[in-house]
Amino acid sequence: MITTFQRRARRNILSCLLIAAAPLAAHADDAPLFVPQWLGAQYTFVDQNQSRVHAPYSGPLSLNPNGSTARSHTFGTYFGIQLPERLQFYLDVEMFKGEGVSGATGLAGLTNGDIIRSGVASLGKRPYVARAYLRWTVPLGDQMTTIERGQDQLPGQEAAKHIEIKVGLMAVNDDFDKNRYANSTRTQFMNWSLWNNTAWDFAADTRGYTDGLMVGWIMPGWSLRYGIYRMPIEANGQPLEESLNVASGQQLEWTLQPKPDGWALRFLGFYNTGNMGIYQQAIDIAEATGQQPNVHDDDAPGRHKFGFGINGELPLADNGDTGLFMRAGWNDGHTESFVFTEVDRVLSGGFQLSGAHWGRSDDRVGLGVAIEGLSRIHSEYLTLGGDGFLLGDGTLRYGPEQIAEAYYSIAVINHLTITPDIQFIRNPGYNRDRGPARFAGLRAHIEF
């Protein structure tokens, strides 16, 4: 849980940075030590419509059978400071307004990934600190590489071989499970089953951020990263556990990429410890009491979830702007889905095509598909009327959730893209009795 002192400190740091950075934004690349640099800003608007859904019955967390329309807005401003001894400090401020269709429930693969930043209703719609962390690098050789200015990336020279350490408030998926063609809900696929491995239940609060430590060993052709982060106190909760000895999310990822712009394979493993419920025990309690199972009532500290993932990208043409991607993931599925979404197995893939083939080199077309499943005991829990934090139709005739998405990102002018997007989902919420569901969306994204 974030203390009053931490909240005040973050507000004070933010105020100082905003005052200092304003007159310096145009000269960020030349800023000296200790001077805040403005690294970027973005605004993303999503208007999405969900069609009517065939639904012989509905539960508290079902898709709205009558359809739904919702709009979301996210704002972000990103800063960095170069410190002595290869230290850097980054601070990001964001704000979310709006909501997702059907209250952002009823699906494992939610159709607007930006709504992860909405948190719970009690968080309000005010600006918040998304990231505040230190980054330190230790060179392992004399060969240097040029780093360009970008979000959470100060420009300059950096050793090609180095140790990287991050500590503070950050997003776990900033460093793990990255993919060139399926990595951003604001510029690529909107369904979060296509820009992350949804079987990877990574540590985060309801907005997608957490405190932790990441250590990376970066070499030409490969890298190895380890991270340990604070887990939420309860499923899909905002407050985080105070101690990593009580609860933590750990991940280890090995990346193979022989050439910087060539193919890449990433192998991920994770192990979570937290205050989780166990599906089988919730079912046993329900059978003994004659009530519906409730895995949240069975929460106890020290329980764990583990899993694995693989992530690949293959550039084909157009200097890498055209290429293929894939992900596969699995977790043990015996403890409750706790942080990201309710998925125990996933297989996804697709492609990105550059608009250079029709004279619009900055445009992109994307097509992706995902198939998601549950463990046997997880599906039995939902069949008996149990609820998760996203799913709960009251009962279930299980079938894998099948997702298809297509988008066309149009570069209107510099810094502005407009993206029509369509999605089709069979067996929404893993329920063969419901759906299919169709979604049409329009996204506008401005980035500086």
Side-chain angles (χ1 to χ4, degrees):
M1 185 179 297
I2 298 172
T3 66
T4 301
F5 173 78
Q6 289 173 313
R7 285 194 293 268
R8 288 175 179 169
R10 289 175 185 173
R11 285 198 297 266
N12 291 338
I13 292 171
L14 170 60
S15 300
C16 293
L17 282 174
L18 289 172
I19 293 169
L24 296 165
H27 307 286
D29 291 2
D30 301 319
L33 290 177
F34 300 109
V35 177
Q37 300 186 43
W38 175 67
L39 299 178
Q42 74 85 30
Y43 164 69
T44 304
F45 166 76
V46 175
D47 185 304
Q48 196 167 62
N49 176 265
Q50 172 209 310
S51 67
R52 293 175 62 91
V53 176
H54 169 73
Y57 53 86
S58 295
L61 296 176
S62 296
L63 282 179
N64 186 337
N66 297 316
S68 176
T69 298
R71 298 176 178 88
S72 68
H73 311 258
T74 56
F75 309 80
T77 308
Y78 311 99
F79 300 91
I81 304 175
Q82 185 68 53
L83 301 172
E85 302 299 327
R86 299 179 300 278
L87 271 170
Q88 299 170 341
F89 176 73
Y90 292 95
L91 178 75
D92 299 347
V93 182
E94 294 185 340
M95 182 170 66
F96 174 92
K97 292 183 178 295
E99 59 184 6
V101 291
S102 290
T105 60
L107 292 168
L110 290 184
T111 56
N112 176 2
D114 242 4
I115 57 92
I116 195 173
R117 291 161 183 85
S118 66
V120 295
S122 60
L123 293 180
K125 305 298 182 181
R126 297 179 297 277
Y128 58 88
V129 175
R131 299 173 184 85
Y133 65 88
L134 283 168
R135 179 178 182 264
W136 184 46
T137 58
V138 181
L140 299 177
D142 296 329
Q143 181 183 350
M144 304 299 287
T145 185
T146 299
I147 305 299
E148 306 236 342
R149 172 180 172 267
Q151 178 184 332
D152 301 326
Q153 188 169 283
L154 286 163
Q157 294 287 307
E158 189 169 89
K161 303 176 182 179
H162 63 271
I163 300 295
E164 176 185 24
I165 299 174
K166 290 183 178 181
V167 61
L169 175 67
M170 63 191 98
V172 180
N173 56 350
D174 285 347
D175 295 298
F176 297 88
D177 193 42
K178 299 172 73 172
N179 191 291
R180 179 173 185 167
Y181 305 111
N183 200 66
S184 171
T185 187
R186 293 169 176 167
T187 59
Q188 297 170 324
F189 294 97
M190 287 169 49
N191 192 296
W192 65 16
S193 296
L194 290 169
W195 55 260
N196 255 145
N197 186 329
T198 44
W200 173 39
D201 206 17
F202 59 86
D205 61 19
T206 53
R207 281 181 169 138
Y209 304 103
T210 184
D211 300 304
L213 168 71
M214 191 284 295
V215 179
W217 183 9
I218 315 302
M219 300 291 284
W222 62 271
S223 63
L224 184 66
R225 288 181 172 87
Y226 167 78
I228 182 168
Y229 305 89
R230 295 168 65 195
M231 288 282 285
I233 294 174
E234 61 183 7
N236 197 35
Q238 180 69 9
L240 301 172
E241 292 281 7
E242 289 284 355
S243 173
L244 293 174
N245 292 326
V246 174
S248 66
Q250 301 182 67
Q251 33 273 311
L252 182 69
E253 184 177 65
W254 180 37
T255 298
L256 292 175
Q257 190 168 19
K259 297 181 180 180
D261 294 323
W263 63 267
L265 277 176
R266 300 174 179 88
F267 302 91
L268 173 71
F270 76 94
Y271 186 91
N272 293 344
T273 304
N275 189 41
M276 308 175 193
I278 296 176
Y279 291 119
Q280 184 61 65
Q281 290 189 190
I283 292 171
D284 293 343
I285 293 170
E287 290 176 346
T289 60
Q291 299 176 343
Q292 287 187 335
N294 187 344
V295 72
H296 313 300
D297 289 343
D298 182 50
D299 288 348
R303 290 171 174 169
H304 65 268
K305 180 186 291 289
F306 68 92
F308 308 95
I310 184 171
N311 170 334
E313 60 189 60
L314 178 63
L316 296 176
D318 309 315
N319 295 317
D321 290 337
T322 293
L324 305 173
F325 73 93
M326 62 79 63
R327 283 186 175 94
W330 174 95
N331 68 58
D332 58 13
H334 80 282
T335 50
E336 64 179 311
S337 298
F338 207 68
V339 185
F340 187 31
T341 188
E342 298 197 48
V343 176
D344 300 322
R345 294 92 173 87
V346 64
L347 178 64
S348 67
F351 69 86
Q352 175 182 285
L353 177 65
S354 169
H357 297 275
W358 52 93
R360 294 189 57 85
S361 59
D362 293 329
D363 289 6
R364 301 286 183 270
V365 171
L367 177 64
V369 294
I371 301 175
E372 299 176 320
L374 298 176
S375 66
R376 180 195 60 80
I377 198 64
H378 192 168
S379 64
E380 183 179 345
Y381 169 80
L382 293 173
T383 300
L384 294 173
D387 295 337
F389 60 82
L390 289 177
L391 304 180
D393 288 335
T395 185
L396 183 73
R397 191 165 67 93
Y398 176 74
E401 189 172 86
Q402 301 166 26
I403 300 167
E405 179 178 1
Y407 71 84
Y408 181 19
S409 176
I410 306 166
V412 181
I413 56 174
N414 286 343
H415 311 296
L416 171 64
T417 59
I418 302 293
T419 306
D421 179 274
I422 56 173
Q423 299 180 47
F424 177 84
I425 301 180
R426 292 187 60 194
N427 306 331
Y430 307 102
N431 198 338
R432 291 185 177 182
D433 287 339
R434 299 174 61 82
R438 298 171 178 84
F439 304 82
L442 184 67
R443 177 180 63 202
H445 176 73
I446 302 172
E447 183 173 333
F448 297 97

